[in-house]
């Protein structure tokens, strides 16, 4: 096997082990932290933190868990400052 084939197998294994969160569950958690939907964009929705700052929210049914955790932590930091 060449290096490229090994890399493809490694990437496939990583993708299988990644965990994800459903979009609706993440939306509920963000709303509970004071975030609100503002408008629909091209590929992303635009949401507001509790303090009025905006952030993009991808329109995928499954959101990578690391990204979801990052969004939740940022929402906690920007609650109403």
């Amino acid at each position: 096997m060449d290096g490229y084939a090994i890399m493809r197998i490694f990437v496939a294994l990583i993708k299988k082990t990644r965990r994800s969160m459903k979009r609706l569950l993440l939306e509920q958690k963000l709303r509970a932290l004071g975030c609100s939907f503002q408008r629909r964009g091209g590929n992303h929705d635009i949401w507001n933190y509790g303090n009025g700052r905006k952030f993009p929210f991808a329109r995928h049914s499954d959101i990578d868990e690391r990204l979801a955790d990052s969004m939740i932590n940022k929402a906690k930091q920007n609650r109403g400052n």
Side-chain angles (χ1 to χ4, degrees), residues 2 4 18 22 33 38-39 44 50-51 62 64 70 78:
D2 64 346
Y4 185 70
R18 270 198 186 149
K22 291 294 183 183
L33 291 169
Q38 183 182 9
R39 64 180 173 85
H44 292 75
N51 64 0
D62 293 320
D64 185 75
S70 173
N78 291 291

Side-chain angles (χ1 to χ4, degrees), residues 1-74:
M1 257 197 270
D2 64 346
Y4 185 70
I6 293 171
M7 185 176 66
R8 283 194 329 227
I9 292 170
F10 181 70
V11 168
L13 289 173
I14 289 173
K15 286 184 179 179
K16 283 185 179 181
T17 58
R18 270 198 186 149
R19 297 180 61 187
S20 63
M21 180 181 290
K22 291 294 183 183
R23 176 184 168 88
L24 292 177
L25 178 61
L26 180 56
E27 282 183 8
Q28 289 173 351
K29 289 184 178 195
L30 291 174
R31 286 184 199 277
L33 291 169
C35 297
S36 61
F37 172 80
Q38 183 182 9
R39 64 180 173 85
R40 293 184 73 82
N43 295 322
H44 292 75
D45 292 339
I46 306 300
W47 281 60
N48 286 336
Y49 292 118
N51 64 0
R53 290 187 58 204
K54 299 174 189 172
F55 67 98
F57 192 146
R59 272 189 243 132
H60 302 288
S61 58
D62 293 320
I63 309 289
D64 185 75
E65 191 165 359
R66 291 175 295 175
L67 176 60
D69 288 341
S70 173
M71 292 172 75
I72 290 169
N73 287 335
K74 286 181 182 176

